Amino acid sequence: MTTYYFSDTAVLTGRTLRHVTRSMDTIITTVITPVAMMLMFVYVFGGAIDTGSVSYVNYMLPGILLITIASGISYTAYRLFTDMKSGIFERFQSMPIARSGVLWAHVFTSLVANLISLVIVVGVALIMGFRTGAGPLAWLAVAGILFLFTLALTWLAVIPGLSATSVEGAGAFAYPLIFLPFVSSAFVPTQTMPGPVRAFAEHQPVTSIVNTIRDLFAQRPVGDDIWTALAWCAGILVVAYVSAMATYRRKIA
């Protein structure tokens, strides 16, 4: 059973990956928004924001990476919605394959597509002057945090992908996630914010994740931020996974 489950999921993942490779415009669109933001903030607003001795592209790159992920997972919801409306789920239900394999296929595809987008964004940041002395372990830690964050948001995207009634509704849930970094430490120090806004910014998940990645890139001790970041990612992942599987059973059963 386990062998069939993994082989079925691998075949279904290959199917969804082929859809992505045949429409590379989805990855291009995913990358355009964060790259445009990075160009605007660095070359238009960067000079007006005091980040001390840290170059602004170094300061804001972690937030841009999270926006890239939030932008990318909207396409996961879109692809799931398209499969739901096409009747492919019902066809899979009539075949002797692992039932949850189709969901995991979309999740794995999201991880691969977002990895490509993140590599492109980091490449553009390097051209713009991003530099880091982080070693392999620090880069591995950054990759692990981004992987966990992507996995958590992807399972969150599964819910509207299965339950939305329109294409617009399937993708629109990602908009608050894209704008959440703007009310965090991603672009400006939280110390400059008014009291209530600062309280929210300092206690929402993006700030701890951004601070952790920024410290890893700068080769600084990460402190308690890394545990807060991991707790947020794990908590979102568990809640999203349970909710997504419940929605799947309700829709497909």
Side-chain angles (χ1 to χ4, degrees), residues 12-185:
L12 292 169
T13 301
R15 166 188 170 270
T16 52
L17 281 173
R18 282 192 296 273
H19 288 176
V20 173
T21 56
R22 289 170 185 168
S23 57
M24 289 300 290
D25 56 309
T26 58
I27 291 180
I28 294 172
T29 305
T30 299
V31 170
I32 284 176
T33 299
V35 167
M37 287 182 181
M38 190 160 53
L39 290 169
M40 180 178 65
F41 273 90
V42 171
Y43 295 124
V44 178
F45 302 130
I49 300 174
D50 182 14
T51 56
S53 60
V54 180
S55 69
Y56 192 62
V57 67
N58 279 32
Y59 184 87
M60 52 93 74
L61 179 60
I64 291 294
L65 296 178
L66 299 194
I67 288 177
T68 303
I69 294 169
S71 179
I73 53 101
S74 64
Y75 286 99
T76 301
Y78 168 76
R79 287 189 291 267
L80 266 170
F81 175 82
T82 302
D83 275 357
M84 285 288 292
K85 292 303 179 183
S86 68
I88 196 71
F89 276 84
E90 287 76 8
R91 194 190 315 177
F92 286 151
Q93 288 293 96
S94 66
M95 298 170 65
I97 62 175
R99 291 195 172 189
S100 62
V102 63
L103 290 185
W104 277 106
H106 281 281
V107 170
F108 290 143
T109 298
S110 173
L111 292 172
V112 173
N114 276 288
L115 172 62
I116 296 171
S117 299
L118 290 170
V119 169
I120 294 172
V121 170
V122 170
V124 173
L126 287 169
I127 294 172
M128 294 173 62
F130 168 72
R131 296 293 182 268
T132 174
L137 289 180
W139 274 102
L140 189 61
V142 170
I145 292 170
L146 293 176
F147 172 85
L148 190 57
F149 185 70
T150 304
L151 188 61
L153 290 198
T154 297
W155 277 107
L156 198 62
V158 168
I159 301 170
L162 294 173
S163 58
T165 57
S166 67
V167 174
E168 293 78 10
F173 90 101
Y175 294 153
L177 299 177
I178 292 173
F179 287 104
L180 195 59
F182 290 97
V183 194
S184 73
S185 64

Side-chain angles (χ1 to χ4, degrees), residues 154-217:
T154 297
W155 277 107
L156 198 62
V158 168
I159 301 170
L162 294 173
S163 58
T165 57
S166 67
V167 174
E168 293 78 10
F173 90 101
Y175 294 153
L177 299 177
I178 292 173
F179 287 104
L180 195 59
F182 290 97
V183 194
S184 73
S185 64
F187 297 104
V188 297
T190 55
Q191 293 85 347
T192 64
M193 300 177 183
V197 178
R198 177 179 177 179
F200 173 79
E202 291 181 346
H203 295 90
Q204 59 121 318
V206 168
T207 292
S208 58
I209 297 171
V210 163
N211 290 346
T212 299
I213 295 175
R214 188 178 290 144
D215 287 339
L216 287 168
F217 280 151

